[in-house]
Amino acid sequence: MAARVLVDADSCPQRVRKYLLSRAKKNQIQLYFIANKNILEGQQEAPLPDNVKMIVRPQEDQAADKWILQNAAPGDIAITRDIPLAAALLQKNVRAMNDMGKVFDKKNIERALKERELSMQMSQLGLGTKRRDSYGQKEFELFAETFNKALQA
């Protein structure tokens, strides 16, 4: 069975979601968007193909993450910005990457967790750094390239 793609869709840029949907339609990839609301509603003309699912979870804390963690299987590809979720998925032998093309692995996840913790501590002290929330062509191209490599692996 081919790997499934599980998308932590609440924070995933619309551009990435459209790209994934297009790839799934062309290549029959099993694609799951998991979010606390239907993020695809009103964004497409036709119903979703059978190989694409929109999983809507309750408005509870971490509900989408919990579903992804419970349903992910070795060999799947998960797309998430959530570093602790990525770390947990790696423990299950699930490939994890973010929407900017960064692939998480056992070597870099510890550092990412420590950076996240430090950032949270600094923010609590009022010393937080400004985050860059822009998502441009460069980030998208790196994501698309990395995603294509992950599919071929």
Side-chain angles (χ1 to χ4, degrees):
M1 180 174 97
R4 297 175 305 162
V5 177
L6 308 172
V7 182
D8 186 359
D10 285 319
S11 64
C12 187
Q14 182 176 6
R15 185 176 197 176
V16 171
R17 294 191 313 251
K18 284 183 176 183
Y19 175 78
L20 293 170
L21 189 55
S22 172
R23 287 295 312 267
K25 288 177 181 178
K26 290 178 186 170
N27 299 304
Q28 289 300 302
I29 299 165
Q30 290 295 311
L31 176 61
Y32 294 78
F33 291 106
I34 304 93
N36 293 342
K37 63 182 182 248
N38 186 347
I39 51 95
L40 299 176
E41 195 169 55
Q43 294 183 17
Q44 60 206 51
E45 305 80 43
L48 292 176
D50 291 339
N51 59 311
V52 177
K53 307 285 184 232
M54 178 67 236
I55 308 293
V56 178
R57 302 300 302 147
Q59 290 285 336
E60 299 167 5
D61 190 38
Q62 305 295 313
D65 295 357
K66 289 175 186 174
W67 189 96
I68 293 168
L69 192 55
Q70 290 170 352
N71 290 280
D76 286 347
I77 300 169
I79 300 169
T80 184
R81 289 184 176 186
D82 187 311
I83 308 265
L85 175 59
L89 289 166
L90 289 173
Q91 295 297 315
K92 291 183 70 171
N93 293 318
V94 173
R95 295 175 285 170
M97 64 182 290
N98 69 16
D99 55 46
M100 294 188 189
K102 178 174 183 143
V103 175
F104 298 106
D105 59 32
K106 294 181 191 225
K107 293 178 183 175
N108 68 16
I109 197 68
E110 286 302 318
R111 180 178 178 166
L113 286 165
K114 287 177 184 176
E115 288 173 353
R116 178 185 177 272
E117 181 65 27
L118 179 61
S119 177
M120 290 175 64
Q121 289 174 358
M122 289 178 67
S123 180
Q124 289 174 345
L125 294 171
L127 302 172
T129 58
K130 294 191 180 210
R131 286 181 36 181
R132 197 177 125 232
D133 287 332
S134 66
Y135 189 88
Q137 186 67 22
K138 179 181 171 186
E139 291 83 4
F140 174 73
E141 287 174 0
L142 182 57
F143 166 77
E145 179 182 332
T146 305
F147 179 72
N148 292 332
K149 287 178 185 174
L151 283 180
Q152 295 170 2

